Amino acid sequence: MLTTSEWLPVGSVVHVEGLEDKVTIMGYYQQDVETGRLWDYFGLRHPSGFLEPGHDVLFDRDAIDAVLYVGYQSFDWERMKDALEATEAAYLAEKGKAAQQAAERAAGRGAGAEKDEGSEGL
């Protein structure tokens, strides 16, 4: 049985908690250039796809509340999934460090500072 704790192939369509639109997965291990925070997935809103810079969606596996379509699975996908699993421990350690640094930067900007433009992180 497929769960959201498992990596989903590119092209999978999911519903992400807090979003009205569906999201098509386009990549993995993405970093928000503004905050430095690392995210499990990068996606685009479905069905519109890329409209303009700053409308991409960064999200973690635990934000997926429904898997609507599982993308193309092949031998190449199995190799990619193996690579994701092999690097997951190092990624999670780096993700923790990046989250700490992002929190420290946010605290330095003040509690009222918000992002103006860029990726949506969920």
Side-chain angles (χ1 to χ4, degrees):
M1 176 178 167
L2 182 68
T3 68
T4 57
S5 65
E6 296 175 45
W7 290 102
L8 295 167
V10 166
S12 295
V13 179
V14 299
H15 184 266
V16 176
E17 185 179 299
L19 279 184
E20 187 174 320
D21 295 333
K22 299 165 193 76
V23 177
T24 301
I25 294 172
M26 303 303 293
Y28 313 96
Y29 293 176
Q30 298 295 307
Q31 187 167 28
D32 185 320
V33 295
E34 289 184 23
T35 67
R37 183 169 173 192
L38 291 170
W39 300 88
D40 296 345
Y41 289 108
F42 155 75
L44 297 173
R45 291 180 185 265
H46 182 86
S48 58
F50 180 80
L51 296 175
E52 61 184 319
H55 286 260
D56 48 351
V57 182
L58 301 172
F59 60 100
D60 287 325
R61 286 177 274 190
D62 60 359
I64 298 171
D65 57 16
V67 177
L68 305 170
Y69 175 79
V70 178
Y72 180 64
Q73 298 174 66
S74 65
F75 177 72
D76 291 330
W77 161 244
E78 291 300 324
R79 288 188 5 227
M80 180 65 189
K81 187 169 77 167
D82 289 346
L84 288 166
E85 290 170 354
T87 59
E88 193 164 9
Y91 161 72
L92 291 173
E94 188 62 31
K95 183 176 181 172
K97 283 191 249 177
Q100 178 65 34
Q101 291 169 345
E104 290 169 0
R105 280 193 298 276
R109 286 194 313 245
E114 292 186 21
K115 262 171 58 169
D116 293 331
E117 299 268 333
S119 302
E120 300 176 50
L122 302 173

